[in-house]
Amino acid sequence: MLSLAIARACAETIEEKKEVDSILISMGYGTGPGEKQKVPAKDRLALAEVLKSRPKLKDIAAALGRMQKIANKKQKEKTEDSVTRSDVDLGNELSNILPSELALLKNPITRKDFYKKFAQGELLQYSPKGKEKLGKGPIICCIDTSGSMTRRDEQSKAFMLSILMIARKQKRAFACINYSSYNEIKTWVFDKTQKITPSEIVDMAEFFWNGGTNFECPLNKAVQIIKDYEKFKKADVVFVTDGDCNVSDSWVQKFNQLKKEKVFSVISIQIGSDERTTLEMFSDKVVNANDFFDEKVSDAAFTI
């Protein structure tokens, strides 16, 4: 019985460490022993205690660990796909050498010519050029916390924290807007030099309005953040909902005009529904999915 108890305690400790690490990564901390930015012991212990006492946070942390792996994979794919081979110039970057030049290396007669050209940086090689500029701008996450999102809240908060992880890694400004009914808005704004504390992470993850749904208020708040904070210019707004609501024609017209003036974009994620009519009125892209682990969601949100 003692052996079983010890084994169970060890398993729980390992699982608890994974949960704590997932949240700390979102805060921008490294969790490995060799990483420069070490996690303060008091922060780790405080977070572990919070997770023990709040089951919802444990569920969020569990989903977060899985979602962070997806986010990291998508970011890696984005970086690899951002380079294409186009023009040809001279150099000695082996990964970009033209096949015709590599043929010199295979032939014993021309091998010395290859080495000479390599030493002088005169081999013909592809000149890598970016297909497009990698997105490195600020991110504003609008998360629906209306009553209908209750059963999806853990996933939606894990999704939000995964985007925060990307922002922190790339030193991008980040804001979170938890919204519900008219004027039910809770906002957290972080510039890219700020440290995010465990208490702020817990607040963002746990906060839930449990009201109705209003689209105009959170998007107006997003625009206000873009106007008020220099570091939120040209932001990507990620708008998450599982519902629908009416928006006025005058509001749509004004909002879309502001998008052009302030040069920001809106990606909307509609969870658990095929409805997209309203979202298409103000979004640059709309994704419908059954849950946040759907690849369509990660393709749209984790590559911005």
Side-chain angles (χ1 to χ4, degrees), residues 36-202:
K36 290 181 180 178
Q37 194 176 10
K38 294 182 180 179
V39 184
K42 63 175 183 177
D43 286 350
R44 177 179 286 279
L45 290 172
L47 194 53
E49 288 303 313
V50 170
L51 286 172
K52 284 180 182 179
S53 61
R54 304 184 189 180
K56 178 180 176 179
L57 275 179
K58 287 180 69 69
D59 291 339
I60 291 172
L64 180 58
R66 178 183 168 191
M67 208 163 286
Q68 283 172 343
K69 291 178 182 178
I70 297 171
N72 283 327
K73 179 183 176 183
K74 292 298 177 182
Q75 282 288 304
K76 183 179 179 182
E77 290 172 358
K78 173 187 173 182
T79 302
E80 291 172 349
D81 291 345
S82 67
V83 174
T84 183
R85 291 173 170 178
S86 52
D87 297 336
V88 174
D89 61 11
L90 298 178
N92 54 10
E93 183 63 46
L94 290 177
S95 60
N96 294 321
I97 299 300
L98 266 62
S100 59
E101 296 284 58
L102 292 173
L104 297 175
L105 185 62
K106 293 182 179 180
N107 191 328
I109 299 173
T110 58
R111 190 169 296 158
K112 286 184 178 180
D113 291 336
F114 177 89
Y115 290 136
K116 181 180 178 182
K117 292 170 76 174
F118 177 81
Q120 295 174 347
E122 293 181 351
L123 289 166
L124 291 174
Q125 65 177 27
Y126 292 109
S127 176
K129 290 190 176 179
K131 292 179 182 177
E132 56 182 275
K133 185 178 179 181
L134 288 179
K136 297 292 182 184
I139 305 172
I140 301 174
C141 228
C142 299
I143 301 294
D144 187 346
T145 58
S146 61
S148 60
M149 282 289 289
T150 302
R151 63 189 178 90
R152 296 187 175 96
D153 190 51
E154 286 81 3
Q155 273 195 20
S156 72
K157 297 301 176 53
F159 172 78
M160 177 270 294
L161 291 175
S162 295
I163 294 178
L164 170 59
M165 175 195 69
I166 293 171
R168 296 296 297 172
K169 278 186 175 181
Q170 298 176 356
K171 297 182 180 179
R172 302 161 71 175
F174 176 85
C176 174
I177 301 172
N178 284 355
Y179 73 92
S180 187
S181 302
Y182 178 75
N183 275 349
E184 289 184 333
I185 301 290
K186 179 70 174 176
T187 306
W188 295 263
V189 180
F190 306 100
D191 68 29
K192 60 185 179 183
T193 59
Q194 273 184 306
K195 288 282 186 70
I196 301 178
T197 65
S199 62
E200 287 169 322
I201 291 286
V202 169

Side-chain angles (χ1 to χ4, degrees), residues 186-235:
K186 179 70 174 176
T187 306
W188 295 263
V189 180
F190 306 100
D191 68 29
K192 60 185 179 183
T193 59
Q194 273 184 306
K195 288 282 186 70
I196 301 178
T197 65
S199 62
E200 287 169 322
I201 291 286
V202 169
D203 286 344
M204 283 192 291
E206 285 196 318
F207 194 91
F208 193 81
W209 284 106
N210 199 32
T213 305
N214 180 285
F215 288 169
E216 294 183 12
C217 288
L219 290 168
N220 288 342
K221 185 64 178 179
V223 170
Q224 196 62 50
I225 291 171
I226 293 168
K227 288 180 178 179
D228 291 348
Y229 294 87
E230 181 70 21
K231 291 184 178 179
F232 279 88
K233 285 186 175 180
K234 299 182 180 180

Side-chain angles (χ1 to χ4, degrees), residues 138-146 148-149 156-157 159-160 163 174-182 184-187 209 212-223 225-226 235-247 251-252 255-256 259 264-273 275-289 291-292 296-298 300-302 304:
I139 305 172
I140 301 174
C141 228
C142 299
I143 301 294
D144 187 346
T145 58
S146 61
S148 60
M149 282 289 289
S156 72
K157 297 301 176 53
F159 172 78
M160 177 270 294
I163 294 178
F174 176 85
C176 174
I177 301 172
N178 284 355
Y179 73 92
S180 187
S181 302
Y182 178 75
E184 289 184 333
I185 301 290
K186 179 70 174 176
T187 306
W209 284 106
T213 305
N214 180 285
F215 288 169
E216 294 183 12
C217 288
L219 290 168
N220 288 342
K221 185 64 178 179
V223 170
I225 291 171
I226 293 168
D236 289 307
V237 178
V238 181
F239 190 81
V240 174
T241 186
D242 71 336
D244 192 25
C245 72
N246 293 325
V247 291
W251 178 86
V252 171
F255 182 80
N256 286 332
K259 277 173 60 183
F264 69 91
S265 62
V266 178
I267 299 171
S268 291
I269 311 292
Q270 172 67 267
I271 296 294
S273 170
E275 180 55 52
R276 58 193 293 138
T277 304
T278 303
L279 295 176
E280 286 179 340
M281 293 180 184
F282 56 79
S283 303
D284 297 275
K285 183 174 184 177
V286 179
V287 175
N288 295 91
D291 62 41
F292 289 92
K296 290 181 291 184
V297 175
S298 56
F302 295 152
I304 59 174

